[in-house]
Amino acid sequence: MHYRLAVTPVENFRIREVIPIKYCPFVKRFAKPYLHKSNYVNMLYQERNMDGFAMLRVLFFIKQPVLVIVTEDSPRTVIQEILSGQMELLFKGQKPLLLQPGGYDILQLNTDEYALVMQPGVCEMLRFEFEESVMKTVNKTSTVKQWLEKLKLGKSAYSGHRQVDEKLQALQAEMLYCRAFTEDEQEWFNDKLDEVFEMVTEQGVLK
């Protein structure tokens, strides 16, 4: 994910590797944290990417109303859950989508821009990303086939919404609190990413 602020005058995020003490209680163990600072919103960002599958967690500490433009490096399907707070998601030519706690959203993201509309407060986002190039190499269930067909359209879009069952919730919690730095730990984390992928693709296509 690449972020930029839609503000005048132009302001860029300042990325810090040293996390201030007040943000340290919010850091999870699974990945190195980075703080993206601005006058509008500070973002505590953590990402663990394993061979085209990834888990990201972002806490948005929003100081004033702002529009944040987002782009992706390559096409991907995203399973995105808001754990606390809320914001609006804007895709070009589509109705605004309110992101809030309660289940996960399935997003087909291409390399075109989309936007997040933020209001003051704190919002926590957890997302799993599955790159198109990797999905083409796996066993293609009906769900994977549907995702790949939608990515072929070449523009980002909302695909659907599902509830988080107890098994997925437990797996998320396990992954957030694990370490993934040694070779064995990374192999374990990679297996868990595969498990999430299998879990969400076995639920069948969305009508």
Side-chain angles (χ1 to χ4, degrees):
M1 298 176 74
H2 301 285
Y3 298 94
R4 66 177 177 86
L5 298 164
V7 297
T8 303
V10 174
E11 180 182 346
N12 297 317
F13 282 107
R14 305 176 298 281
I15 301 177
R16 301 287 184 267
E17 293 190 29
V18 178
I19 306 302
I21 292 176
K22 69 177 182 178
Y23 292 112
C24 289
F26 300 101
V27 174
K28 302 300 183 184
R29 298 183 65 193
F30 76 100
K32 179 177 175 60
Y34 295 89
L35 186 66
H36 298 229
K37 296 186 66 177
S38 77
N39 290 320
Y40 294 85
V41 54
N42 290 344
M43 301 188 307
L44 184 63
Y45 184 97
Q46 294 179 264
E47 175 180 358
R48 177 65 63 182
N49 191 309
M50 298 286 188
D51 302 322
F53 284 1
M55 184 172 86
L56 289 78
R57 175 176 174 267
V58 188
L59 263 78
F60 300 90
F61 299 89
I62 308 157
K63 307 173 200 177
Q64 52 184 314
V66 67
L67 184 74
V68 177
I69 306 299
V70 189
T71 55
E72 308 291 342
D73 286 324
S74 60
R76 64 199 59 207
T77 295
V78 168
I79 303 301
Q80 182 168 285
E81 183 180 353
I82 299 297
L83 302 179
S84 64
Q86 65 179 38
M87 64 179 68
E88 279 192 334
L89 172 63
L90 300 178
F91 289 131
K92 187 176 181 180
Q94 301 175 50
K95 293 181 179 179
L97 175 66
L98 180 62
L99 303 177
Q100 58 187 345
Y104 63 82
D105 297 302
I106 303 172
L107 309 175
Q108 308 298 340
L109 301 182
N110 263 275
T111 55
D112 53 329
E113 293 183 339
Y114 60 96
L116 299 172
V117 182
M118 302 182 181
Q119 300 296 332
V122 179
C123 184
E124 181 179 4
M125 172 193 295
L126 179 67
R127 61 191 278 178
F128 294 94
E129 299 186 347
F130 310 112
E131 291 185 16
E132 179 187 38
S133 59
V134 180
M135 289 196 291
K136 288 179 177 179
T137 69
V138 302
N139 181 33
K140 295 180 179 60
T141 64
S142 57
T143 301
V144 175
K145 290 178 181 177
Q146 183 191 54
W147 290 357
L148 289 172
E149 285 299 316
K150 290 188 175 184
L151 286 172
K152 281 183 182 179
L153 298 176
K155 61 180 182 179
S156 298
Y158 170 75
S159 186
H161 182 85
R162 281 203 171 107
Q163 294 302 310
V164 178
D165 59 26
E166 290 183 4
K167 186 176 180 181
L168 180 57
Q169 191 171 35
L171 185 56
Q172 290 176 355
E174 186 179 13
M175 295 172 74
L176 282 170
Y177 286 96
C178 81
R179 282 173 46 88
F181 296 97
T182 69
E183 186 174 337
D184 287 342
E185 290 168 347
Q186 290 179 10
E187 184 177 351
W188 178 90
F189 197 88
N190 197 25
D191 289 341
K192 294 299 179 181
L193 282 174
D194 289 341
E195 191 174 336
V196 171
F197 181 73
E198 292 172 3
M199 194 178 299
V200 297
T201 56
E202 286 174 355
Q203 296 183 2
V205 300
L206 288 164
K207 304 299 184 183

